[in-house]
Amino acid sequence: MKKLLVTGASGFLGWNICHLAKEEWEVYGTYLSNIPAIPDVALLKSNLRDFEELKLIFDNINPAAVIHTAAQSSPNFCQNYPNESYPINVTASWNIAGLCADYSIPCAFTSTDLVFNGLNAPYLETDPVCPINIYGEQKVMAEEGILQRYPMTAVCRMPLMFGIAPPPATSFMQPFIQNLREGKELSLFIDEFRTPASGTTAAKGLLLALEKVNGLIHLGGKERVSRYDFGKLLVEVLELPEAGLKSCRQQDVKMAAPRSPDVSLDSSQAFSLGYAPLSLREELEALRGKL
Ligand SMILES: NC(=O)c1ccc[n+]([C@@H]2O[C@H](COP(=O)([O-])OP(=O)(O)OC[C@H]3O[C@@H](n4cnc5c(N)ncnc54)[C@H](OP(=O)(O)O)[C@@H]3O)[C@@H](O)[C@H]2O)c1
């Protein structure tokens, strides 16, 4: 089997990719502070901000392809500590693309729907970027530098993702579920829209993009939904206590990073290549009993 290097294997998405990819690849996953449990995947501790360490990984493994998911993925953290997030979100991403160019191997990078301001959804790959927070700005810098260094890279704009995660990593749905199960109040935005996809679907999309895409691609889910409506569906499908579920608006909650109202992605280009997310209901039904 060919060797696939997945950065961020201890994170939500990297972990999902490793589980899926090991059927067809010899998978090497990196982590920084949390050792993930993934049978049949070789795990390497690595600080990707250190170029020498990164180069050594490439030299030792000699991968046939790379999926780069490692990042500081919290917009609020990036807003508060931009100098801490820049080296992993931007510099390391450029370096990984540069090494993939040196090795002439396929590379997929995980960007975000938050490269857009949310005022003109749904967004196509051809729409101009216009981030409104530092996380989005850093992802734009990463995208541009990656495509300069290695235009063959699949720069995948990921949607909001949900599903099974290796503790302590989590997707946005785990805290929702915990709050409701504990009888606590859960207020969700009625005025913030996304096109969510499960981690499994997103992982399938990335493996497809690795094979078929050079340049930008949107890997959003099938449906545009508000956070609140997603919560209602979650309650129904997972049979959660609904008493705590309340609606609110973005303006009701103060956060460090400004929030986009609607960064729904138009992913028809990926759909035409064979990316096939299920409906949200089907995605959630597949997770029943596993969360
Ligand atoms: N989750 C979403 O809904 C979403 C939406 C759009 C885009 N994305 C993008 O998709 C990618 C994956 O997101 P995610 O939710 O899976 O992220 P995550 O759960 O926060 O995981 C981040 C991963 O990056 C690793 N990491 C952080 N700093 C590192 C460093 N300096 N050196 C090496 N590894 C480092 C972490 O390792 P340790 O845990 O071991 O420290 C972890 O494995 C990210 O690029 C994110 O920006 C995510």
Side-chain angles (χ1 to χ4, degrees):
M1 286 200 277
K2 289 194 290 183
K3 294 178 180 175
L4 174 67
L5 175 63
V6 179
T7 69
S10 49
F12 165 72
L13 182 58
W15 184 85
N16 278 280
I17 296 166
C18 287
H19 273 277
L20 193 73
K22 67 183 185 179
E23 303 301 323
E24 303 210 346
W25 297 80
E26 183 180 334
V27 182
Y28 292 75
T30 74
Y31 65 94
L32 178 62
S33 34
N34 302 297
I35 309 177
I38 320 178
D40 306 323
V41 168
L43 295 161
L44 308 108
K45 182 176 169 67
S46 161
N47 183 355
L48 303 175
R49 287 173 295 207
D50 181 335
F51 181 68
E52 291 309 317
E53 236 180 87
L54 183 59
K55 198 168 169 311
L56 206 61
I57 291 179
F58 273 72
D59 290 344
N60 288 342
I61 297 174
N62 192 15
V66 177
I67 301 180
H68 174 40
T69 78
Q72 175 42 255
S73 65
S74 157
N76 289 328
F77 182 96
C78 296
Q79 202 72 20
N80 288 329
Y81 307 102
N83 296 335
E84 280 187 45
S85 55
Y86 186 94
I88 180 66
N89 284 357
V90 183
T91 319
S93 303
W94 292 346
N95 288 338
I96 287 170
L99 285 165
C100 288
D102 293 345
Y103 278 71
S104 292
I105 54 173
C107 175
F109 168 64
T110 48
S111 187
T112 173
D113 48 11
L114 295 175
V115 297
F116 298 114
N117 63 9
L119 301 177
N120 202 22
Y123 289 98
L124 285 162
E125 289 83 352
T126 45
D127 286 321
V129 292
C130 40
I132 61 165
N133 58 40
I134 287 170
Y135 170 73
E137 285 171 14
Q138 290 183 343
K139 287 291 190 180
V140 167
M141 283 188 263
E143 287 187 352
E144 290 173 354
I146 284 171
L147 290 173
Q148 269 170 20
R149 281 163 182 77
Y150 194 30
M152 302 292 279
T153 307
V155 172
C156 304
R157 298 214 178 111
M158 310 311 293
L160 184 65
M161 291 176 281
F162 58 90
I164 302 167
T170 134
S171 77
F172 74 94
M173 80 190 315
Q174 276 80 4
F176 285 15
I177 294 172
Q178 194 181 343
N179 274 7
L180 292 172
R181 283 193 178 138
E182 289 173 0
K184 291 184 187 155
E185 197 165 291
L186 174 68
S187 295
L188 298 178
F189 299 130
I190 50 169
D191 57 351
E192 181 176 303
F193 294 85
R194 310 284 285 262
T195 37
S198 73
T200 312
T201 291
K204 284 182 190 163
L206 281 161
L207 288 166
L208 182 82
L210 190 66
E211 190 193 333
K212 294 194 172 170
V213 176
N214 303 128
L216 290 169
I217 190 86
H218 288 178
L219 295 179
K222 228 175 161 179
E223 291 157 65
R224 170 183 179 272
V225 70
S226 73
R227 293 229 181 208
Y228 178 70
D229 284 336
F230 184 89
K232 280 205 310 195
L233 192 60
L234 190 71
V235 163
E236 185 195 326
V237 176
L238 301 189
E239 295 171 6
L240 299 167
E242 64 183 316
L245 185 61
K246 309 277 183 235
S247 65
C248 68
R249 293 183 175 275
Q250 284 184 330
Q251 65 184 30
D252 300 333
V253 184
K254 288 270 168 293
M255 290 192 199
R259 300 187 71 90
S260 304
D262 185 352
V263 287
S264 299
L265 296 174
D266 180 328
S267 303
S268 38
Q269 195 178 316
F271 298 158
S272 70
L273 294 173
Y275 176 56
L278 303 172
S279 70
L280 283 176
R281 178 177 292 278
E282 289 167 321
E283 295 261 40
L284 289 174
E285 278 170 354
L287 293 169
R288 210 163 19 203
K290 297 179 184 165
L291 292 159

